[in-house]
Every structure is written in C-alpha cells, then in structure tokens.
Amino acid sequence: MTLTIAIHSSKGGTGKTSIALNLAVAFAASGKDTCLIDMDLRGPSLCSMFKAKNNFWINDFLSGKCSIKDTLNDIQKDMETSGHMYLSFSNPDIGEIRDLVSKDRNWQAGALKALMTGKKELAEEDMDVIIFDTSPGVEYESINAVAASDMVVIVHNDTNACNNCTEQLIKGVYELLDKKRAIIDNMCHDNCLDLTERTRHGAPILATIPCMCEIATRSKNEVLVNTEPEHIFSKSIMRIRDKIEAMQ
C-alpha cells in the first residue's frame, strides 16, 4: 500500500524542503520506491537543487496537460539508493507563478481531483512512498496536498508565532480533514537533546533537531542522509522515517 505524506509548515523558513528531500532519500535508501513532488507552487525550490530531465512540470499535470508519470525525474543513480527515487518539479517561471495566483476555486478543485488521480496512478505503479513538499500556510495548493495525503508532518520552529499558527493549522485544517499528523521541531536553539516532550496539540513529536547553521552553507543539492549518514541531522531523519513507518 502506498504511503502519502504531506510535509507542511505554518510559516516559511522552517527547513521544510530540506527535511522533505532528506526524508524522501531516506525512504528510498531503505529500499522503498519513493516520489517527492514539489507542491510549493508559489515558491518552488527543488528545481534549484536538481536539474530537470524532462519537459513537464507538476503544474502541467495539475492543468491536465500530461500524466503525472510524465513529470517524474529519476535520480536513483545520483543518490545511489536501493529503491527508485523520483522528483517532480514545480515550474519556477515567474509568469507561471503569477498565473497560479489568479487561479480560481474551480481550477483548484480540478487540481485536487488530478492530484488524487495521480496518487492512484503512482500506487498502481507500485510506488511505496509519495511525499508532497507543500507551500507554508493555507494556500489552496497546500490544502490540496494535505487532503490527498494519508498523514501530515508539520515542520515547526520554536517561536510563539509558529507555535500559535501550528495550533491553528491542526485544529482548523488537519482535524477537520481527519488527518493523522505529527510534528518535527527543527532548528531548535535550546539544549533540545535533553527535552522530554513527546506530544503537542495532540500530535506526537517525531524529532527535535538542533539548529545547525553549517547546513545552510553546504552544496545546494547535497543530501546529508546520502553524503553524511552519521551526521546528527541524518540520524534524526532516519529516526523520523522509522517512526512514520511504525505509525502505519
């Protein structure tokens, strides 16, 4: 059975995309055929980390111009994973982003239907894990990704603003959609390794990851679980993967 996960956050700058990418590679490294889809349509970033190998974006699929399989870029050889590893990029062209902002609810409803169809098609191809890297907040495309997922992983920073907004997301979106959810505390400045908190807002905390400023200075397409599996960040991602699997 295919597991579909939305990586979401209430605010930008939480490290959501880095966690989504590393988690996807961690699943593929364990032998799972994995697909990471960039649903951050207003601020795409995966395309700046890897070069697209085909001419179709996830935007094209959502608009009915191609199948979801046409958008997939195979990076298994690049990542040297035992399972297949695919990326589906969002179009970074500013004209495409402007066009997205003008889309009405009818288009968004059609995009959700397409996303559900694409999920089914990938499941029929025996994809083990699908991960949506969403845009932060409550944009339509983020809620569509959450609605199409089996569970939501919220990437959270330890600030009052992020904490309040995360609580609102859980109560105002995830609970209404009856979604299984969990939290990752990322970029924590306190002595987080000694923290004992295990739940917040009724959701389990999968990991508390300390702030590591050196990560931001690394090569833009470096995936730590691949290049440095003994790094504290990599070990945290592996534990997150294992806990997600145990929750199913």
Side-chain angles (χ1 to χ4, degrees):
M1 182 177 177
T2 303
L3 170 63
T4 307
I5 307 165
I7 309 295
H8 197 201
S9 64
S10 61
K11 299 283 188 180
T14 62
K16 170 180 56 62
T17 296
S18 178
I19 286 176
L21 175 59
N22 278 272
L23 184 59
V25 174
F27 272 112
S30 69
K32 305 285 189 182
D33 289 344
T34 305
C35 178
L36 174 60
I37 299 176
D38 191 352
M39 286 297 293
D40 191 352
L41 306 183
R42 298 169 191 248
S45 56
L46 284 179
C47 56
S48 68
M49 302 176 185
F50 297 90
K51 185 177 180 180
K53 300 177 182 179
N54 60 42
N55 297 319
F56 292 104
W57 310 92
I58 192 64
N59 314 60
D60 298 319
F61 166 69
L62 296 176
S63 296
K65 298 177 182 177
C66 66
S67 75
I68 195 165
K69 290 184 287 186
D70 292 328
T71 72
L72 301 185
N73 295 263
D74 190 345
I75 65 165
Q76 181 181 14
K77 290 183 179 179
D78 299 326
M79 294 295 103
E80 299 180 335
T81 54
S82 54
H84 288 287
M85 176 70 207
Y86 301 97
L87 299 179
S88 179
F89 299 114
S90 176
N91 193 336
D93 182 78
I94 189 62
E96 186 72 27
I97 296 172
R98 286 200 193 102
D99 183 59
L100 173 73
V101 174
S102 68
K103 299 294 188 185
D104 60 17
R105 291 186 179 184
N106 288 333
W107 186 90
Q108 294 290 353
L112 174 57
K113 184 177 180 180
L115 207 55
M116 298 298 290
T117 300
K119 173 183 172 179
K120 182 179 178 181
E121 290 176 355
L122 292 177
E124 290 172 349
E125 294 293 321
D126 295 324
M127 192 72 67
D128 295 304
V129 181
I130 301 170
I131 296 178
F132 296 126
D133 179 25
T134 71
S135 58
V138 291
E139 303 292 354
Y140 276 117
E141 55 271 19
S142 291
I143 304 308
N144 282 349
V146 168
S149 298
D150 301 312
M151 73 174 296
V152 187
V153 174
I154 310 111
V155 182
H156 177 272
N157 285 166
D158 189 20
T159 64
N160 287 334
C162 193
N163 190 55
N164 291 337
C165 291
T166 296
E167 183 178 15
Q168 292 182 53
L169 273 178
I170 290 174
K171 293 182 177 179
V173 178
Y174 310 147
E175 288 183 357
L176 292 178
L177 293 173
D178 193 26
K179 293 297 175 181
K180 186 182 295 184
R181 58 256 182 200
I183 294 172
I184 297 172
D185 283 332
N186 192 33
M187 302 179 184
C188 294
H189 292 277
D190 295 329
N191 185 16
C192 59
L193 297 180
D194 293 334
L195 295 182
T196 59
E197 185 180 19
R198 292 292 177 263
T199 63
R200 190 181 307 125
H201 310 308
I205 297 175
L206 299 178
T208 303
I209 304 174
C211 184
M212 292 172 278
C213 297
E214 77 276 7
I215 291 179
T217 65
R218 295 179 180 254
S219 172
K220 63 181 181 179
N221 64 343
E222 182 177 7
V223 182
L224 280 181
V225 296
N226 185 41
T227 60
E228 293 188 42
E230 295 303 311
H231 194 285
I232 186 172
F233 179 82
S234 303
K235 289 185 175 181
S236 295
I237 294 295
M238 297 297 189
R239 286 196 296 270
I240 291 166
R241 176 200 64 195
D242 294 343
K243 288 182 180 180
I244 288 174
E245 290 187 318
M247 291 173 67
Q248 303 313 304

